[in-house]
Amino acid sequence: MAVLTRRNLLKASAVAGVYGAGMALAGRFTAAHAAPEPLILKSNKIDANITGTEVTRDVLTYGTDGMPPVLRMRQGEPFAAKLINGIDEPTTIHWHGMRIPNAMDGVPFLTQPYVYTGETFDYAFTPPDAGTFWYHPHCNTLIQMGHGMTGVIVVDNPRDPQFDADIVVNLRDWRLGGDGQFIAQFKPRDAARAGTYGTVRSANWQVEPQYDAPSGGLVRLRLAVTDVTRIFSFKVEGAQAMVIAIDGNPVPKRFALDVLQLGPGQRLELAIRMPDSEGATVTLEDIHGTNPKTLAKLRAVGASLKRDIGDLAPLKPNPVRQADLGAAEHIPIILSATAEDTAKDSICGSLGYSFWAINKVPWPGDTPDPTAPLAELKLGKSYVLDMENLTPHSHPIHLHGMSFTVLSSSTGDVQPFVSDTYLVQPNEKVQLAFVADNLGDWLLHCHIIEHQKTGMTSYMRVV
Ligand code: C2O
Ligand code: CU
């Protein structure tokens, strides 16, 4: 009955009382950690040249200057942003991968009210983890994200090892017709399969950009897959590349990049040792599927710095609590297709279909009375998600608010990665362990947005 109580409360108090907690947060910082001036993030509709030839209309972004800005934060230091909604439909901001208070999580109905056109919402939190994260709306996401509202966040740890360059690459597609204008964002029959792919692929809103980096230097290359559909298989040609972090967390043991598959929502940090000779290029490629693609290039400039990748100190792990596996409770999570129910109309953009389900329940859409939580978790207790994919498609499953550790997979050996998004392969069984150390309602959903919006969404409640 807790469900009904909270839902009724949300309904009854609508926009007024319940969500106040988040606002109050800014006032809670002590003098030593005074709340900073908020960064203004205004959602806007703009024209942008993405293809290199045509100007695309109806592009959505934050700010007015092309791609949403890369946000820089510092681990353990307060951050504040004011969302001003300048687009003609409601929106919110979700801070993907960041373990922050529930009231700041940006999910309509579950954690905050819609931010209507012309309205504002104040976000304030202190990032507990360093690494590469990202931000995006959590309302009408197929359109808002599909049209551009996906930005990268870098949280710095000042004690990280020294690189000679830090390059951020926001990877995403656009569904544009031959005239450079948006076409229908999805096809229902594709939504029921792997999702509908974009027609134009971009890196930092450019087709195959090239960046300069010091010859013989060490580059920290931060890749964020912010596309709504595409799964990448990353490969680097022309230089030695080591995987140093995945999904914002340093990998337990760094390893040479051969090919690594990552899905929507995921991030990859590579240490790349640039070639010694000036003018040499390094290419970042996606070799997934039948149509390999160069995503971006790095060009060596200047005299060689002669750095040695082996000298690079390891990154410090983030302060994520390790689950107590002896005491952990197991929660079965079954990912499946469904033909049941149809989605309800939602101001946050229903696609009008139900194709997918978590534990047999398709998410009805972002409504004031969603499904009951998958599970009610006790604050501080350890849990293991026993997740099984019964579908013939891959699903990047994302948990809000808490980071998990990958324990085991039916596909073979896995490193104990700490992450917020796991790409579950067809028919894979995987175990994800975490401590329920963050109060509130936390979404668990597929980050292929068509899957998310046609049923593959649920949430867990930590009390
Ligand atoms: Cu990138 Cu529900 O999140
Ligand atoms: Cu999916």
Side-chain angles (χ1 to χ4, degrees):
M1 283 297 98
V3 180
L4 292 177
T5 313
R6 182 169 155 86
R7 289 304 142 208
N8 291 342
L9 193 63
L10 287 186
K11 262 189 208 166
S13 57
V15 174
V18 178
Y19 304 110
M23 314 278 194
L25 205 72
R28 257 191 12 217
F29 299 117
T30 55
H33 267 325
E37 266 300 297
L39 178 77
I40 302 296
L41 288 174
K42 183 172 181 192
S43 55
N44 275 312
K45 185 183 279 187
I46 62 167
D47 292 344
N49 187 335
I50 293 147
T51 61
T53 47
E54 288 91 11
V55 170
T56 302
R57 294 183 301 273
D58 298 339
V59 171
L60 300 177
T61 189
Y62 299 97
T64 50
D65 201 16
M67 184 173 78
V70 174
L71 305 185
R72 290 260 169 190
M73 306 180 187
R74 277 182 167 233
Q75 183 178 23
E77 289 185 19
F79 168 83
K82 183 186 284 295
L83 166 65
I84 303 176
N85 188 2
I87 62 173
D88 54 18
E89 59 181 53
T91 192
T92 59
I93 300 179
H94 170 60
W95 313 89
H96 182 122
M98 306 191 76
R99 301 183 299 128
I100 58 180
N102 198 243
M104 299 287 99
D105 198 46
V107 182
F109 287 116
L110 223 50
T111 74
Q112 70 159 87
Y114 295 128
V115 182
Y116 288 93
T117 305
E119 289 186 347
T120 67
F121 191 87
D122 291 297
Y123 293 96
F125 52 83
T126 299
D129 304 318
T132 308
F133 302 88
W134 66 296
Y135 63 108
H136 61 78
H138 227 288
C139 187
N140 199 14
T141 40
L142 190 61
I143 296 299
Q144 292 185 18
M145 292 169 64
H147 279 227
M149 293 165 83
T150 62
V152 184
I153 298 170
V154 173
V155 182
D156 283 311
N157 172 352
R159 284 171 310 190
D160 271 355
Q162 277 299 306
F163 288 86
D164 305 302
D166 191 317
I167 298 173
V168 177
V169 183
N170 182 347
L171 293 165
R172 54 163 300 143
D173 295 2
W174 306 82
R175 278 196 46 88
L176 304 178
D179 58 354
Q181 305 312 314
F182 283 103
I183 55 175
Q185 197 63 42
F186 83 109
K187 298 180 194 150
R189 68 190 298 266
D190 286 345
R193 299 177 183 182
T196 310
Y197 288 93
T199 58
V200 174
R201 306 185 57 177
S202 73
N204 291 338
W205 288 33
Q206 286 174 282
V207 179
E208 262 186 57
Q210 175 170 291
Y211 301 100
D212 287 349
S215 305
L218 295 179
V219 175
R220 185 173 190 165
L221 185 65
R222 302 173 186 265
L223 310 176
V225 180
T226 76
D227 190 53
V228 292
T229 312
R230 188 176 296 279
I231 292 168
F232 290 73
S233 293
F234 291 110
K235 191 170 177 64
V236 166
E237 292 288 357
Q240 188 185 9
M242 302 290 288
V243 174
I244 56 172
I246 293 178
D247 297 339
N249 290 283
V251 293
K253 232 170 93 204
R254 96 172 42 145
F255 56 94
L257 175 71
D258 175 22
V259 179
L260 193 73
Q261 203 180 98
L262 291 185
Q266 297 198 272
R267 292 86 65 206
L268 173 62
E269 288 184 41
L270 298 173
I272 293 181
R273 203 300 189 162
M274 292 298 290
D276 289 303
S277 46
E278 164 130 51
T281 58
V282 177
T283 56
L284 172 68
E285 292 171 8
D286 171 20
I287 62 162
H288 201 76
T290 49
N291 189 12
K293 176 91 175 84
T294 295
L295 302 168
K297 290 184 181 158
L298 304 180
R299 186 180 58 144
V301 294
S304 176
L305 298 180
K306 301 235 159 68
R307 293 282 306 261
D308 184 342
I309 205 165
D311 292 345
L312 210 57
L315 302 177
K316 211 169 144 276
N318 285 318
V320 175
R321 282 173 63 192
Q322 284 302 304
D324 174 353
L325 296 179
E329 191 176 306
H330 288 246
I331 302 172
I333 304 276
I334 307 291
L335 310 173
S336 67
T338 186
E340 270 170 56
D341 297 341
T342 39
K344 289 183 194 151
D345 240 3
S346 163
I347 193 168
C348 261
S350 165
L351 303 189
Y353 300 87
S354 272
F355 295 129
W356 308 98
I358 297 182
N359 289 356
K360 298 205 174 128
V361 180
W363 183 251
D366 300 318
T367 68
D369 49 354
T371 58
L374 276 176
E376 202 164 278
L377 314 183
K378 295 239 164 1
L379 186 68
K381 210 174 127 105
S382 295
Y383 293 89
V384 176
L385 303 181
D386 291 325
M387 195 178 288
E388 183 168 8
N389 180 2
L390 300 182
T391 81
H393 299 284
S394 302
H395 302 285
I397 301 294
H398 171 45
L399 174 63
H400 285 212
M402 291 167 286
S403 298
F404 51 75
T405 302
V406 183
L407 284 188
S408 73
S409 158
S410 59
T411 62
D413 279 351
V414 280
Q415 274 205 50
F417 295 119
V418 177
S419 170
D420 52 74
T421 308
Y422 184 84
L423 183 60
V424 195
Q425 303 292 339
N427 304 311
E428 179 178 356
K429 286 186 197 171
V430 64
Q431 292 191 303
L432 309 173
F434 67 103
V435 179
D437 58 0
N438 207 350
L439 281 172
D441 288 345
W442 300 107
L443 276 193
L444 179 78
H445 66 84
C446 180
H447 225 290
I448 291 174
I449 305 297
E450 287 158 79
H451 294 178
Q452 175 194 358
K453 299 293 269 183
T454 58
M456 202 173 273
T457 298
S458 193
Y459 68 103
M460 293 189 288
R461 172 168 295 160
V462 179
V463 292

